[in-house]
Amino acid sequence: MLSSEVRFFLVVANCGSLSAASEQLFVAVSAISRQIQRLEVQVGTPLFERHARGMVLTEAGQIFENHIRKSLLNIEQAVAEIKGLKAERRTALRVACSNGVAFMLMPQLMARFRAEYPAVSFVLTVADTKTLARLVRNGECDMVLQFSLHPERGVEVAASWPAPVLLLMRKDHPLADRQVVLADLCQYPVCLPEPGSTVRQLFDISCQMNGTFIEPVLTCDNFSTLYYFLQGSPLAVTICSQFTAMPLLQPQGLILKSFAVEQQSPRTLQLQLPLGRQRSTALELFVDYINQTLSREERAIGEKFGI
């Protein structure tokens, strides 16, 4: 459905260079370059900035890419609806989320929702903050559930909840029944998410502001690893939000604790949608379900743990 010029344009935009696009398309660099130049003549402006190490989209190129991807998604939705007429109205939602949300919260939300709406299926992508922002801005997914340190531009924020940095530990931990300050953590094994995560960024800033140095015994970009390490090490402590730990608290004997430190940034969990796109009935139902479920559970956890 795409002309060769537009198809080559999208591949170069994704790969960042003609040589990488050539390897992916099995087409000569010179042929790809000619197609890109032809497209730029048609558009009337350069779509890429040429550099020694690759090609970067100009502002016009970013606008063009965004519209092309939205057009492709509209085509996909039309095809899906047509196919759905022959498939008992089954609907697939493309969902994306951060690692902490993907551990247990998102799977449980999807499973409970499907118990009520079994015709809905999911395709889940787990990615870092930068990738999630690109997916939702480009309309490459139907919704994103991720933590954010600032208002996101170019997306619709359907709902948001405060997500401060909290301590997660066992109920029988020595710190469980007392007020905790950062310095107290130096006496115990601390396992932390990788430095690029929003929760780790805020934790490191708090340590710097309080003059406290904490060397983690384990650093990992997968929350499940931190969780199982915590389960196998009774004195260990990790950090997360109430949403990451929400499904864990009752059966596994864990507790959440705030700690005595000023947290400068209003970190939130945001339910983000592509800007300006019409929602399908299935997406509307799932968004409403997440909003109601998380709002209810957040209030319950806040009252129980004094967060």
Side-chain angles (χ1 to χ4, degrees):
M1 295 183 183
L2 291 178
S3 67
S4 57
E5 294 99 328
V6 173
R7 184 164 59 91
F8 289 0
F9 165 81
L10 291 175
V11 175
V12 173
N14 283 336
C15 295
S17 71
L18 290 172
S19 58
S22 175
E23 293 179 2
Q24 181 172 327
L25 292 167
F26 299 101
V27 176
V29 169
S30 58
I32 298 174
S33 180
R34 285 195 300 271
Q35 295 285 7
I36 296 296
Q37 290 173 2
R38 183 181 302 173
L39 182 61
E40 290 177 324
V41 170
Q42 294 175 10
V43 176
T45 187
L47 299 175
F48 290 97
E49 294 178 0
R50 275 76 170 173
H51 300 286
R53 294 185 176 180
M55 299 176 68
V56 179
L57 287 172
T58 62
E59 184 176 357
Q62 293 174 3
I63 294 172
F64 187 73
E65 181 195 27
N66 187 41
H67 281 282
I68 290 297
R69 294 196 184 281
K70 286 183 178 179
S71 296
L72 287 173
L73 288 171
N74 289 335
I75 292 172
E76 289 180 10
Q77 288 176 349
V79 172
E81 288 183 15
I82 293 170
K83 289 182 177 179
L85 295 175
K86 301 178 180 180
E88 299 181 359
R89 299 285 183 179
R90 291 190 174 275
T91 303
L93 294 180
R94 294 171 300 175
V95 178
C97 68
S98 55
N99 169 61
V101 177
F103 174 52
M104 288 189 73
L105 179 59
M106 182 60 79
Q108 290 197 4
L109 289 171
M110 293 189 296
R112 292 172 184 172
F113 182 79
R114 284 202 76 254
E116 188 171 352
Y117 301 99
V120 178
S121 60
F122 295 93
V123 178
L124 178 63
T125 299
V126 182
D128 57 44
T129 301
K130 184 177 180 181
T131 301
L132 291 174
R134 176 181 60 79
L135 289 175
V136 68
R137 278 199 299 267
N138 290 344
E140 296 177 52
C141 62
D142 297 310
M143 59 154 283
V144 163
L145 191 61
Q146 71 160 325
F147 298 103
S148 181
L149 297 177
H150 52 78
E152 291 292 340
R153 297 180 179 180
V155 304
E156 177 188 349
V157 179
S160 66
W161 303 266
V165 181
L166 302 171
L167 301 175
L168 181 66
M169 64 186 71
R170 292 171 56 141
K171 285 183 177 180
D172 56 357
H173 195 283
L175 297 178
D177 297 324
R178 49 176 285 195
Q179 186 178 30
V180 180
V181 296
L182 275 172
D184 294 331
L185 301 182
C186 297
Q187 306 173 46
Y188 300 97
V190 177
C191 48
L192 295 175
E194 50 89 21
S197 62
T198 55
V199 67
R200 177 65 185 273
Q201 291 175 31
L202 292 181
F203 182 79
D204 288 346
I205 290 172
S206 298
C207 289
Q208 293 170 10
M209 292 176 61
N210 287 269
T212 302
F213 175 74
I214 295 176
E215 183 174 5
V217 299
L218 171 64
T219 301
C220 185
D221 63 355
N222 192 316
F223 184 78
S224 63
T225 300
L226 303 179
Y227 163 71
Y228 286 113
F229 182 85
L230 196 71
Q231 289 290 73
S233 181
L235 295 179
V237 177
T238 191
I239 58 173
C240 63
S241 76
Q242 68 271 37
F243 298 102
T244 303
M246 189 178 288
L248 307 174
L249 300 176
Q250 294 296 336
Q252 278 79 16
L254 302 175
I255 64 166
L256 283 171
K257 288 186 68 69
S258 56
F259 53 106
V261 64
E262 184 177 357
Q263 299 188 18
Q264 298 292 320
S265 180
R267 179 174 179 257
T268 58
L269 177 66
Q270 295 186 2
L271 177 53
Q272 302 170 353
L273 306 174
L275 190 62
R277 184 195 295 178
Q278 185 175 0
R279 304 181 193 177
S280 66
T281 301
L283 179 60
E284 191 77 50
L285 289 169
F286 191 47
V287 167
D288 289 344
Y289 174 77
I290 292 176
N291 194 352
Q292 294 175 17
T293 301
L294 294 191
S295 297
R296 181 179 63 250
E297 294 296 330
E298 186 210 14
R299 287 193 297 271
I301 287 180
E303 292 173 0
K304 181 173 182 178
F305 296 103
I307 300 169

